[in-house]
């Protein structure tokens, strides 16, 4: 799962040597898809410097690693730094080195277009404001040493919906942290400000203990999702847990399935619209389909021109609800 090719790396990486390894201070490349090597000059990359991707400044004391597999662009050195340093709004995705244990403060400050972050469980410390001004949507964490990670620190900084893919030894979990926000409302007679919480995301962000995600506590919050989130969000969250049931207890699975059965027609249409083939196949595998729900999903797929999903649903209809052959009596 964790395999990088040299051709993926940035064309030029600026760094400093520390006692334990390498600290990245900046990158140059052709686009905002940043893939950083696990080692530079035979030393492990262990940290990302403060403000590394937040601004275009370059320290004259930085060392430089150049990717020999990426053609160099012959331009004036000063102009090259000014035009091609990947920072701020240019950053779109980041694949961190496997051995990174620390991200400095404000490392990705105002990287507004940063949507995807890939990292390992070596990273447990994140500097203050590291993702301030970001709208991170997807986090992928690979676990090699247990189940501790910096996931809580990340989702605490992002109030928008965050989708996490967590890779353990031979297993994958997918969890959704819904959007949430807080609103200060004045209670004029009492001269107090009362904080109102909106969305279930704040509760899901509390499902951690000692830097480990508490799946049992996460699964107990379905009632919050049902009460405070749109059906599309609830369906996505539920299908993530059912299709990737890491540490999913039988009682929680039953609650999730009951929820689906109660809104099966609407949920099936949402899955078709989202092209969630894993979810649609789960409904067949668990024997949850009704003819009405299946036909509703087919109609939604046809309206949305999701031809691949429509073909899948037509095959399911044939298997789940075959037409009875007519018989004739002589």
């Amino acid at each position: 799962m964790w395999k990088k090719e040299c051709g993926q790396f940035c064309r030029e990486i600026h760094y400093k040597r520390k006692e334990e390894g390498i600290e990245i201070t900046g990158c140059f490349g052709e686009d905002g898809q940043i893939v950083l090597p696990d080692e530079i000059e035979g030393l492990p990359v262990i940290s990302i410097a403060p403000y590394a991707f937040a601004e275009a400044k370059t320290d004259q004391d930085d060392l430089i690693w150049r990717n020999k597999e990426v053609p160099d662009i012959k331009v004036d050195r000063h102009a090259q730094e000014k035009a091609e340093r990947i920072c701020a709004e240019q950053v779109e995705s980041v694949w961190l080195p496997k051995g990174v244990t620390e991200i400095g403060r404000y490392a990705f400050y105002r990287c507004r277009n940063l949507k995807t972050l890939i990292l390992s469980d070596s990273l447990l410390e994140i500097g203050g404001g590291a993702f301030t001004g970001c709208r991170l949507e997807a986090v992928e964490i690979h676990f090699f040493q247990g189940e501790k990670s910096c996931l809580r620190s990340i989702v605490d900084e992002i109030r928008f919906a965050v989708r996490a893919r967590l890779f353990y030894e031979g297993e994958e979990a997918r969890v959704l942290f819904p959007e949430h926000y807080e609103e200060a409302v004045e209670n004029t007679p009492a001269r107090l400000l009362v904080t109102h919480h909106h969305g279930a995301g704040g509760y899901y962000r509390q499902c951690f203990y000692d830097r480990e995600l508490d799946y049992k506590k996460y699964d107990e919050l379905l009632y919050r999702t049902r009460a405070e989130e749109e059906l599309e969000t609830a369906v996505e969250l539920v299908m993530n847990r059912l299709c990737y049931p890491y540490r999913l207890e039988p009682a929680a699975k039953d609650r999730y399935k009951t929820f689906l059965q109660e809104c099966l027609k609407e949920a099936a249409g949402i899955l078709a619209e989202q092209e969630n083939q894993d979810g649609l196949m789960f409904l067949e595998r668990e024997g949850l389909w009704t003819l009405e729900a299946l036909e509703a999903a087919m109609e939604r797929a046809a309206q949305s021109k999701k031809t691949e999903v429509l073909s899948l649903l037509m095959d399911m209809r044939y298997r789940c609800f075959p037409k009875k052959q007519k018989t004739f009596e002589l």
Side-chain angles (χ1 to χ4, degrees), residues 295-314:
E295 289 182 341
M298 291 172 61
E299 182 178 354
R300 187 81 168 265
Q303 291 174 348
S304 305
K305 298 182 179 179
K306 312 289 187 182
T307 55
E308 187 174 346
V309 170
L310 179 58
S311 177
L312 175 68
L313 290 168
M314 291 174 68

Side-chain angles (χ1 to χ4, degrees), residues 15-25 38-48 63 99-101:
Y15 67 96
K16 294 182 185 294
R17 283 196 181 96
K18 302 179 73 174
E19 186 175 343
E20 303 86 0
I22 299 296
E23 179 176 76
I24 301 293
T25 59
D38 295 337
E39 293 185 351
I40 290 179
E41 308 297 345
L43 297 173
V45 179
I46 59 169
S47 63
I48 307 298
L63 299 171
V100 162
T101 59

Side-chain angles (χ1 to χ4, degrees), residues 135-136 152-162 176-183 195-206 208 224 228-229 233:
R135 190 162 181 167
L136 194 63
R152 178 171 185 172
S153 297
I154 294 173
V155 297
D156 276 350
E157 283 209 33
I158 309 295
R159 75 170 185 85
F160 304 102
V162 178
L176 171 65
F177 295 88
E179 181 177 359
H180 77 108
Y181 68 95
E182 298 177 353
E183 180 184 22
T195 301
H196 290 190
H197 298 268
H198 299 271
Y203 299 100
Y204 281 99
R205 284 163 172 78
Q206 303 304 312
F208 291 89
R224 289 282 184 186
E228 301 185 39
E229 298 295 335
T233 298

Side-chain angles (χ1 to χ4, degrees), residues 273-289:
E273 176 74 27
Q274 296 176 343
E275 299 183 275
N276 188 335
Q277 296 191 22
D278 288 342
L280 294 171
M281 289 188 288
F282 175 86
L283 296 180
E284 179 181 21
R285 189 166 61 249
E286 295 290 320
L288 298 178
W289 278 121

Side-chain angles (χ1 to χ4, degrees), residues 65-258:
W65 176 87
R66 291 186 175 88
N67 190 346
K68 297 179 181 179
E69 293 196 14
V70 178
D72 193 20
I73 298 177
K74 297 180 180 179
V75 296
D76 175 74
R77 176 66 185 166
H78 176 73
Q80 180 177 330
E81 290 180 349
K82 184 178 181 181
E84 298 182 17
R85 187 181 181 93
I86 308 172
C87 61
E89 294 184 359
Q90 294 172 307
V91 180
E92 298 175 4
S93 68
V94 177
W95 188 347
L96 292 172
K98 182 177 180 180
V100 162
T101 59
E102 183 179 0
I103 292 180
R105 64 189 187 282
Y106 298 105
F108 297 98
Y109 180 60
R110 289 186 176 177
C111 292
R112 305 178 193 279
N113 295 317
L114 174 59
K115 295 295 188 289
T116 304
L117 181 69
I118 304 175
L119 63 149
S120 81
D121 59 344
S122 295
L123 179 60
L124 297 177
E125 299 294 333
I126 293 181
F131 296 100
T132 298
C134 297
R135 190 162 181 167
L136 194 63
E137 296 177 354
V139 176
E140 184 177 307
I141 302 180
H142 296 254
F143 291 84
F144 301 99
Q145 307 170 60
E147 295 195 12
K148 297 183 189 297
S149 74
C150 62
L151 181 59
R152 178 171 185 172
S153 297
I154 294 173
V155 297
D156 276 350
E157 283 209 33
I158 309 295
R159 75 170 185 85
F160 304 102
V162 178
R163 293 161 177 83
R165 297 181 65 184
L166 309 175
F167 293 92
Y168 302 95
E169 290 187 16
E171 292 188 73
E172 177 184 354
R174 294 190 184 185
V175 288
L176 171 65
F177 295 88
E179 181 177 359
H180 77 108
Y181 68 95
E182 298 177 353
E183 180 184 22
V185 179
E186 183 179 3
N187 184 332
T188 304
R191 296 183 180 179
L192 295 173
L193 283 177
V194 180
T195 301
H196 290 190
H197 298 268
H198 299 271
Y203 299 100
Y204 281 99
R205 284 163 172 78
Q206 303 304 312
C207 295
F208 291 89
Y209 177 76
D210 193 21
R211 296 176 178 170
E212 294 185 12
L213 178 59
D214 185 338
Y215 287 96
K216 185 175 186 297
K217 187 175 180 180
Y218 183 98
D219 292 329
E220 289 173 349
L221 290 174
L222 176 60
Y223 74 98
R224 289 282 184 186
T225 302
R226 299 185 67 162
E228 301 185 39
E229 298 295 335
E230 298 290 336
L231 184 58
E232 288 80 359
T233 298
V235 169
E236 180 181 354
L237 187 149
V238 166
M239 295 313 307
N240 278 343
R241 292 298 289 137
L242 289 173
C243 294
Y244 300 88
Y246 186 75
R247 296 193 181 280
L248 179 63
E249 296 184 354
K253 181 178 180 179
D254 289 342
R255 289 196 297 271
Y256 285 137
K257 288 175 63 176
T258 298

